[in-house]
Amino acid sequence: MTVPPLRPLVVSAALAALVAGCAPPPAAPPAASGPAASGPAEAEITAARIAAHVQVLSHDGFEGRAPATRGGDLATTYLATQLALLGLEPAGDNGTYFQQVPIVEATVDRSFSLSVPGRTYKYLDDVVAFSGVEDARVAVSGDVVFVGHGIVAPEQKWNDYAGVDVKGKWVLIMVNDPPAPADEPTLFGGKALTYYGRWTYKFEEAARQGAAGALLIHTDESATYPWQVVQSSWTGTQYALPPAPGAPALGVKAWISNAAAIDLVKRGGQDLDALRAKASARGFTPVPLAVRASATLTQRSARKVAPNVVGVLRGEKADEAVIVTAHWDHFGVRAPQPGEPADADRIHNGAYDNASGCAAALTMAQAMARAGTKPGRSMYFVFTTAEESGLLGSEYFAAHPPLPMAKVAANINVDGANYLGPTKDIVMLGSDRSSLGPMLQALATARGRVVGEDTHPERGYFFRSDHFPLAKAGVPALSLSEPKQFEGPNAAALLARQEAYNGKDYHQPSDEYDPAWDFTGAANDARLLAALAWQVAAAPEMPAYNAGDQFAEVRTR
Ligand SMILES: [Zn+2]
């Protein structure tokens, strides 16, 4: 692989101080009304330290931190070294800081076909598919059952698979949640997207039901993105964890265009719009279609391995834990584009996403390691791999945890730390779901700050970062999100800069470290989150999801 020449690393005073282990003066002393003397050493968390870690992790030499690459290995080596320097114990495989995560890379051949008597649907135009198994050639042939939204939600008394056996068959599924009717305004979260609405859930449930293949019906409104996004996102190389031995897996996972779905249902003797109307109301039962569908999928697949980096600060209750997560991976070096100059910047440095979150988590670890006392419960720091490929590192960690998930009091995830200066608010996805919310609220109030809201609940951001696999396992979780209330005379301009990043730099090589970045707000957030984690670790009771929340019953089932 050829990469552009390296920019020199500017060894700033902050970086020198970090390496020398001497603390630069704290940007602001912890609030007098903050936690008691036994809390984390919050003065260790400074904007300068965060900036130093970001500068290293987003350096060109790390080549965009793609899993299973040299740059990725350098990033995980750096993180493990930092944990070791802080005195955290290794909590990965065989006494190391590394939990090796197997990753399946698969590319489906364009020869994929899906056909019913009288019609073959065209790959890319009508259907896009991948597989839940690693076989080079997968064939699925069977009856098709329309299962509405494909949801089994006992707490909502909703079952789209009621009374039907779909083993070995195709299921045809609508994406998104059923609408909340006037007499049940909070059904499936009302306007907010619940996990039952996400495409990932639809495939998971179809596999649990024993289906051989699943077809998700695409519409612009229900998917919230056009068919072109389906085409670009689910073609080319796909990444997944290998299925656990004996676990159910779908032979074919597909998206089908609305027009093709209408045709397929018609050939099965039904009208899709009529079925959709039925499926949106309580009492829907699945509808077997009078049609058989067959698909053949050929793929190239290979296994790779990339580690989660895991360290632990043992607590008084060593067998219970609070877990802090931040993903280290990003997109690596992108392929040259036709016509661009040879020296074009192709390195996805991922400075904000998520060198900044790793940096904030490292400073939290430092504050805790230097607290002078042990935390109540053990404090795990987990730097996850392959988040950008579908939360793979955290899914693997949740499936292979160093202690039972029922012993994990809480998860705090950092995916992006604010580089635009201090804010009044701190926004934590999930703060409305569990007793972690009121604890966060109290700590924020004591520091003269406020807890902001998720302003786009319909987009389902809670389901899109590394805390989510832990939430699915029943662990109360929070994930740091973007603030909205910048302080000072430039507040409006800073908010506009944040919006501009989302439009222009998000997931682009231009997400690069800028010496003008101001991590004061990130340091304030990291101090608050370190205090919260410490308090959760010390509390006699474990936090819990609010009654009626989708994840409330996981631990009692
Ligand atoms: Zn991220």
Side-chain angles (χ1 to χ4, degrees):
M1 181 175 67
T2 56
V3 294
L6 298 183
R7 273 182 294 131
L9 180 69
V10 179
V11 183
S12 64
L15 189 59
L18 178 83
V19 173
C22 78
S33 51
S38 73
E42 289 186 33
E44 300 281 323
I45 301 174
T46 64
R49 280 217 166 96
I50 293 173
H53 288 307
V54 172
Q55 205 185 341
V56 176
L57 285 166
S58 66
H59 186 256
D60 282 356
F62 287 70
E63 297 169 2
R65 303 189 306 276
T69 64
R70 184 178 69 163
D73 291 349
L74 284 172
T76 56
T77 302
Y78 179 78
L79 291 165
T81 304
Q82 293 300 319
L83 293 179
L85 287 170
L86 293 172
L88 271 72
E89 288 175 35
D93 303 335
N94 309 316
T96 71
Y97 289 99
F98 304 111
Q99 178 185 44
Q100 299 296 345
V101 178
I103 296 170
V104 179
E105 274 189 9
T107 312
V108 170
D109 194 83
R110 287 173 177 248
S111 62
F112 174 84
S113 74
L114 173 72
S115 51
V116 294
R119 170 94 192 254
T120 294
Y121 301 104
K122 269 190 83 180
Y123 185 64
L124 282 183
D125 290 349
D126 303 320
V127 65
V128 168
F130 49 108
S131 182
V133 299
E134 290 174 77
D135 305 359
R137 190 177 172 282
V138 182
V140 170
S141 191
D143 293 336
V144 184
V145 182
F146 175 76
V147 294
H149 292 87
I151 293 172
V152 180
E155 77 285 1
Q156 310 263 359
K157 303 191 171 49
W158 191 284
N159 183 355
D160 287 326
Y161 286 90
V164 68
D165 181 359
V166 298
K167 281 198 183 58
K169 299 177 185 170
W170 289 96
V171 286
L172 180 64
I173 312 172
M174 298 159 71
V175 293
N176 219 310
D177 289 326
D183 57 340
E184 275 191 281
T186 61
L187 183 69
F188 290 105
K191 196 171 76 75
L193 182 70
T194 73
Y195 185 56
Y196 297 116
R198 286 276 289 164
W199 61 272
T200 48
Y201 167 82
K202 312 288 183 182
F203 285 142
E204 288 166 6
E205 189 60 48
R208 278 193 286 273
Q209 298 288 334
L215 303 167
L216 303 186
I217 306 167
H218 176 268
T219 65
D220 289 358
E221 316 79 73
S222 65
T224 70
Y225 36 77
W227 179 251
Q228 289 88 315
V229 172
V230 173
Q231 291 176 318
S232 60
S233 303
W234 286 283
T235 55
T237 307
Q238 303 290 312
Y239 301 88
L241 294 178
L250 293 168
V252 173
K253 299 171 163 185
W255 282 88
I256 184 167
S257 72
N258 192 46
I262 289 170
D263 177 82
L264 186 149
V265 169
K266 200 168 161 199
R267 289 169 193 272
Q270 299 279 346
D271 174 71
L272 182 56
D273 284 330
L275 292 184
R276 281 198 269 236
K278 276 191 203 167
S280 295
R282 273 207 179 278
F284 165 78
T285 50
V287 179
L289 305 177
V291 68
R292 274 180 75 82
S294 304
T296 316
L297 179 151
T298 312
Q299 62 183 348
R300 269 183 296 115
S301 74
R303 288 256 187 134
K304 292 205 166 158
V305 170
N308 293 328
V309 180
V310 191
V312 61
L313 193 64
R314 298 274 172 216
E316 297 290 347
K317 273 187 203 166
D319 63 342
E320 293 186 2
V322 171
I323 297 180
V324 175
T325 47
H327 74 87
W328 61 259
D329 66 297
H330 204 50
F331 293 104
V333 182
R334 70 159 170 72
Q337 282 168 2
E340 76 181 3
D343 63 349
D345 180 8
R346 297 185 282 110
I347 301 176
H348 284 277
N349 304 78
Y352 171 72
D353 184 8
N354 185 33
S356 69
C358 291
L362 281 175
T363 62
M364 289 169 66
Q366 179 160 342
M368 295 195 197
R370 301 198 175 150
T373 53
K374 280 185 176 184
R377 297 181 169 90
S378 294
M379 207 65 74
Y380 281 80
F381 285 84
V382 184
F383 297 90
T384 52
T385 185
E387 188 270 355
E388 306 285 12
S389 334
L391 318 182
L392 302 185
S394 60
E395 285 280 3
Y396 187 85
F397 179 84
H400 303 86
L403 75 175
M405 277 286 141
K407 298 280 188 188
V408 180
N411 169 226
I412 294 171
N413 181 54
V414 189
D415 192 351
N418 162 22
Y419 56 86
L420 293 168
T423 62
K424 175 91 173 161
D425 59 338
I426 181 168
V427 181
M428 299 295 293
L429 302 173
S431 62
D432 53 344
R433 291 177 172 269
S434 76
S435 57
L436 292 173
M439 293 176 83
L440 174 71
Q441 185 76 59
L443 283 165
T445 304
R447 289 155 193 251
R449 303 191 62 194
V450 296
V451 176
E453 280 183 6
D454 177 3
T455 45
H456 289 291
E458 77 285 0
R459 293 184 193 167
Y461 289 137
F462 185 72
F463 316 125
R464 299 187 186 191
S465 189
D466 284 330
H467 58 292
F468 186 58
L470 282 83
K472 270 198 292 184
V475 176
L478 296 176
S479 183
L480 184 63
S481 187
E482 290 179 336
K484 293 285 173 281
Q485 302 176 35
F486 289 95
E487 293 186 330
N490 296 328
L494 293 170
L495 192 60
R497 263 180 71 188
Q498 182 172 266
E499 291 298 317
Y501 166 90
N502 288 330
K504 190 169 71 63
D505 304 318
Y506 175 69
H507 287 186
Q508 300 299 322
S510 56
D511 178 3
E512 290 187 297
Y513 178 72
D514 180 339
W517 280 4
D518 175 1
F519 285 107
T520 313
N524 290 338
D525 290 349
R527 288 178 188 151
L528 178 48
L529 295 179
L532 175 66
W534 195 270
Q535 199 178 90
V536 171
E541 298 277 317
M542 292 245 202
Y545 277 102
N546 302 334
D549 189 272
Q550 181 173 1
F551 308 108
E553 289 173 32
V554 175
R555 287 181 161 179
T556 56
R557 256 175 227 151

